[in-house]
Amino acid sequence: MAGRLYLVPTPIGNLGDLSPRICQTLESADFIAAEDTRVTRKLLSHLELHKPLISYHEHNKRESGEGIVKRIAAGETCVLVSDAGTPAISDPGEDLVRLCAEANIEVCAICGPCAAITALAVSGLPTGRFTFEGFLSTNQKNRREHLLSLRRETRTMIFYEAPHKLLSTLQDLEETFGGERRIALCRELTKLHEEILRTTLSGANAHYAEQPPRGEFVLILEGAKEDEPAPLTQKDAIALVEKLIGEGISKKDAVKQVAADTGFPKNELYSAVMKA
Ligand code: SAM
């Protein structure tokens, strides 16, 4: 008889979040597939568990996934963990679940820590409808397209971000959604220095320009109001300048006209167009 795949969440900072069911499931595994075996070994040694570990991560998921499916099909029980939080949520696992489903292998998800849901719950922003956006791409074009696709999004949006990219992401968010849009920045959740900053995008930019961001962040961004016109951003203004240039108007005149129409400063638009 085939075994099972268990998706087991692990603490995002607080070991107290290891539930009895999480511990029992780890204990019952024939083997554990881990994103980083060194990280998981520490957790297992905290629980005084000795289990065979294999690695399953972004760069070996194909070969490792096939091996895992074979072992489960032959009757073993596998527990999948990531470094922290829920496997398969911005973490390896999605492909393994698909492979198991295709092989008619039972998959069981254990409930537990997930940074996105913890942050949403504490944000103070509407939770009735939300969208999970994960990490924004580091590729400028993909990032811009992703953000533009969200401009009319009315649901609350959840983003993951690393501290060293936070400032540029906040600037891009302000350019896309305007400075008045509300945001909750949820930092170091469940840890000693947990902090929830409920502010606006301009407030967040001002705050982190003064105080360099540290730790892990989830950003919860308010959705657009149903009848709110999309704010005109600097990117829109640049697109207008480029359109006019494409129509044969000189760069200088195009910048002058768009600055007059939109209120963006001429020198700001001019240097942005030169950089674009
Ligand atoms: N699968 C994980 C989960 O369910 O929570 C998320 C993994 S993703 C690779 C890592 C991102 O989760 C971090 O960059 C950060 O955005 C967020 N994160 C993880 N732990 C966090 C914490 N303690 N506080 C705030 N954000 C956290």
Side-chain angles (χ1 to χ4, degrees):
M1 203 175 98
R4 263 188 184 184
L5 174 69
Y6 285 95
L7 305 174
V8 170
T10 52
I12 56 170
N14 191 324
L15 288 173
D17 289 332
L18 281 166
S19 70
R21 191 166 181 231
I22 288 175
C23 301
Q24 281 153 16
T25 311
L26 285 167
E27 201 170 353
S28 72
D30 288 315
F31 70 101
I32 296 175
E35 183 180 10
D36 182 337
T37 52
R38 289 163 305 181
V39 172
T40 303
R41 213 177 294 282
K42 279 193 202 147
L43 182 75
L44 294 179
S45 89
H46 167 79
L47 295 171
E48 297 181 0
L49 288 177
H50 301 279
K51 289 284 166 184
L53 279 173
I54 63 162
S55 102
Y56 177 82
H57 53 67
E58 204 44 46
H59 306 291
N60 74 355
K61 62 186 181 188
R62 187 190 286 212
E63 317 81 75
S64 179
E66 284 168 7
I68 292 170
V69 169
K70 273 195 197 134
R71 287 180 67 173
I72 302 176
E76 290 188 82
T77 295
C78 172
V79 161
L80 177 70
V81 293
S82 60
D83 288 350
T86 300
I89 306 300
S90 281
D91 261 342
E94 177 183 337
D95 296 71
L96 185 58
V97 174
R98 184 178 39 75
L99 281 182
C100 286
E102 283 167 5
N104 283 323
I105 285 171
E106 207 175 324
V107 181
C108 178
I110 306 295
C111 292
C114 177
I117 296 299
T118 309
L120 176 69
V122 78
S123 67
L125 291 168
T127 58
R129 298 188 68 199
F130 61 88
T131 99
F132 177 65
E133 301 299 324
F135 290 96
L136 286 170
S137 171
T138 47
N139 171 294
Q140 275 306 319
K141 185 169 168 283
N142 296 345
R143 188 179 173 88
R144 188 175 302 175
E145 279 171 10
H146 186 167
L147 287 173
L148 285 177
S149 76
L150 294 173
R151 286 190 62 197
R152 303 299 311 135
E153 179 56 69
T154 53
R155 293 168 292 183
T156 300
M157 290 159 268
I158 307 176
F159 297 91
Y160 280 163
E161 196 46 285
H164 63 283
K165 297 200 200 117
L166 183 78
L167 271 178
S168 68
T169 291
L170 287 176
Q171 281 157 11
D172 287 352
L173 290 177
E174 184 170 350
E175 267 189 29
T176 309
F177 301 100
E180 295 308 305
R181 186 69 71 88
R182 289 190 296 160
I183 183 168
L185 298 103
C186 306
R187 191 174 82 84
E188 297 285 84
L189 289 164
T190 78
K191 300 185 192 175
L192 188 61
H193 298 293
E194 174 171 312
E195 180 185 65
I196 314 297
L197 177 65
R198 299 182 185 89
T199 178
T200 57
L201 282 170
S202 64
N205 269 309
H207 180 85
Y208 283 108
E210 293 282 305
Q211 187 176 312
R214 290 219 183 90
E216 299 199 83
F217 284 85
V218 181
L219 312 180
I220 308 291
L221 184 66
E222 178 185 36
K225 307 264 180 310
E226 293 287 350
D227 51 359
E228 177 184 308
L232 190 81
T233 64
Q234 193 198 58
K235 277 180 195 145
D236 299 322
I238 295 165
L240 288 175
V241 173
E242 282 166 350
K243 185 165 171 277
L244 290 179
I245 294 171
E247 287 168 6
I249 297 179
S250 76
K251 195 175 282 174
K252 194 170 158 213
D253 287 344
V255 166
K256 199 167 155 195
Q257 186 175 322
V258 173
D261 291 346
T262 64
F264 280 99
K266 261 191 294 187
N267 53 357
E268 204 178 279
L269 279 184
Y270 200 83
S271 59
V273 170
M274 295 303 281
K275 272 193 230 147

